[in-house]
């Protein structure tokens, strides 16, 4: 267990060192215990930041823990990209894992589904999986190539980005898939989140755009500063806007549901922000260089 140290502080942004640069904080989520949980992708560990004193506890898990989410069973669930497993850890640190049916599938995205199960993508196998809290696994063909992030939509279906299919996919809980091609070639979508407006919002890391898709498949795209921004992850904020990381520019962006954009600089253009989540009334993102950044919601 070690306590964070603050490394960057502005009016809106504070950064806290939580690991050395080689550990690679990658994705994060608020746990059922009110703490902030995050993956250390290069260390093979999941860590917990205490909400009261900021102490960080590190738990060894399988190789390459990547995306993490709170499950319906009071535990945290995450993908182990290199170990090719789905991991589960309780707030007390008890760890277990489950092997997908397809070997070498490259589990990446993960989310709590509308049916009380956990859903995940197998990016390298073009499949989407479902695991119950008891560990029973089912898999379905993805509606396109290289499914990446996924989330539960307001329509009770799973929505995912199809990074190499240049599309957004929809999958019902019984495995029926639909793909919606993107207007921009080479968009390479990655992150996706349900917005407060009843639509899904996603990042286009290849085109430097933020996208919005309705449950009927209508798509709108909003350009950022350019492709070099490389937007990666996106989440709904406590202020009714969408927040996203710009991996290429070392910034966090904010977009309102009517398309107005603002952004916040982090400690450096090379700090590699990846995952982002709402926590304790603010936005938090993981910097692969070893820190967590807290972005205050401005009035």
């Amino acid at each position: 267990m070690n306590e964070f140290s603050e490394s960057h502080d502005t009016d809106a942004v504070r950064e806290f060192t939580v690991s050395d640069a080689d550990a690679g904080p990658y994705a994060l989520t608020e746990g059922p215990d009110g703490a902030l949980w995050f993956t250390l992708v290069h260390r093979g560990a999941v860590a917990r930041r205490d909400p009261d004193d900021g102490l960080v506890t590190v738990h060894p898990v399988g190789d390459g823990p990547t995306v993490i989410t709170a499950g319906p069973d009071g535990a945290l669930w995450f993908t182990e990209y290199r170990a090719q497993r789905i991991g589960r850890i309780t707030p007390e640190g008890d760890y277990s894992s489950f092997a997908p049916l397809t070997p070498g599938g490259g589990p990446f995205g993960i989310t709590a589904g509308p049916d009380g199960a956990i859903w995940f993508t197998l990016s390298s196998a073009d499949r989407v999986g479902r695991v119950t809290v008891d560990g029973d696994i089912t898999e379905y063909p993805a509606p396109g190539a290289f499914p990446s992030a996924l989330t539960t939509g307001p329509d009770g279906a799973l929505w995912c980005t199809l990074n190499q299919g240049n599309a957004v996919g929809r999958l019902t809980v019984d495995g029926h898939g639909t793909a919606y091609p993107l207007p921009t070639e080479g968009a390479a979508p990655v992150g996706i989140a349900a917005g407060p407006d009843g639509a899904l919002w996603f990042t286009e890391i290849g085109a430097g755009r933020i996208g919005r898709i309705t449950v009927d498949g209508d798509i709108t795209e909003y350009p950022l500063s350019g492709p070099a921004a490389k937007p990666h992850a996106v989440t709904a904020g406590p202020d009714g806007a969408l927040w996203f990381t710009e991996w290429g520019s070392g910034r966090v962006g904010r977009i309102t549901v009517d398309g107005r954009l603002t952004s916040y600089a982090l400690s450096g253009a090379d700090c590699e922000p990846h995952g982002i989540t709402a926590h304790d009334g603010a936005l938090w993102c993981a910097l692969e260089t070893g820190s967590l950044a807290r972005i205050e919601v401005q009035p």
Side-chain angles (χ1 to χ4, degrees):
M1 178 181 291
N2 63 288
E3 190 170 2
F4 68 76
S5 61
E6 186 177 325
S7 62
H8 184 69
D9 194 349
T10 68
D11 288 343
V13 181
R14 299 177 68 193
E15 292 183 19
F16 306 94
T17 299
V18 292
S19 72
D20 57 63
D22 294 334
Y26 189 85
L28 70 178
T29 192
E30 182 172 281
D33 55 350
L36 195 60
W37 288 76
F38 56 98
T39 56
L40 297 171
V41 66
H42 302 309
R43 179 157 292 167
V46 167
R48 175 189 185 273
R49 183 183 186 275
D50 191 272
D52 297 321
D53 56 19
L55 290 177
V56 174
T57 307
V58 177
H59 302 278
V61 294
D63 195 17
T66 310
V67 181
I68 187 167
T69 191
D73 57 343
L76 288 302
W77 291 73
F78 50 95
T79 50
E80 297 177 355
Y81 189 81
R82 289 193 291 269
Q84 305 291 339
R85 298 182 73 87
I86 304 302
R88 177 186 183 272
I89 192 166
T90 67
E92 295 75 33
D94 296 324
Y95 162 71
S96 56
S97 67
F98 307 91
L101 303 179
T102 302
F108 179 79
I110 194 165
T111 193
D115 55 349
I118 301 295
W119 289 74
F120 57 92
T121 59
L122 293 170
S123 297
S124 301
D126 297 341
R127 297 181 70 78
V128 174
R130 174 186 185 271
V131 57
T132 68
V133 295
D134 297 322
D136 296 325
I137 293 179
T138 310
E139 292 179 8
Y140 303 98
F146 209 84
S148 298
L150 80 168
T151 193
T152 295
D155 56 347
L158 285 304
W159 289 75
C160 65
T161 49
L162 301 170
N163 181 262
Q164 299 301 307
N166 213 59
V168 171
R170 179 183 185 271
L171 194 75
T172 62
V173 293
D174 58 357
H176 177 72
T178 307
Y180 299 94
L182 299 181
T184 302
E185 291 296 325
V190 180
I192 190 167
D197 56 345
L200 289 304
W201 290 74
F202 56 94
T203 61
E204 298 183 2
I205 197 170
R209 298 179 179 220
I210 301 299
R212 176 185 184 271
I213 183 169
T214 68
V215 293
D216 297 321
D218 296 325
I219 297 171
T220 309
E221 295 174 312
Y222 300 93
L224 304 178
S225 57
K230 297 188 182 300
H232 184 268
V234 62
T235 193
D239 56 347
L242 286 301
W243 292 71
F244 54 93
T245 51
E246 295 184 14
W247 176 75
S249 63
R251 302 180 71 89
V252 167
R254 175 184 184 270
I255 186 168
T256 62
V257 293
D258 57 358
R260 290 178 289 120
L261 286 155
T262 52
S263 70
Y264 300 83
L266 300 173
S267 54
D270 60 350
C271 66
E272 299 186 46
H274 286 287
I276 189 167
T277 195
H279 171 64
D280 192 29
L283 281 300
W284 290 73
C285 69
L287 313 185
E288 199 167 342
T289 47
S291 301
L292 301 183
R294 182 184 190 275
I295 303 93
E296 190 74 31
V297 175
Q298 300 296 297

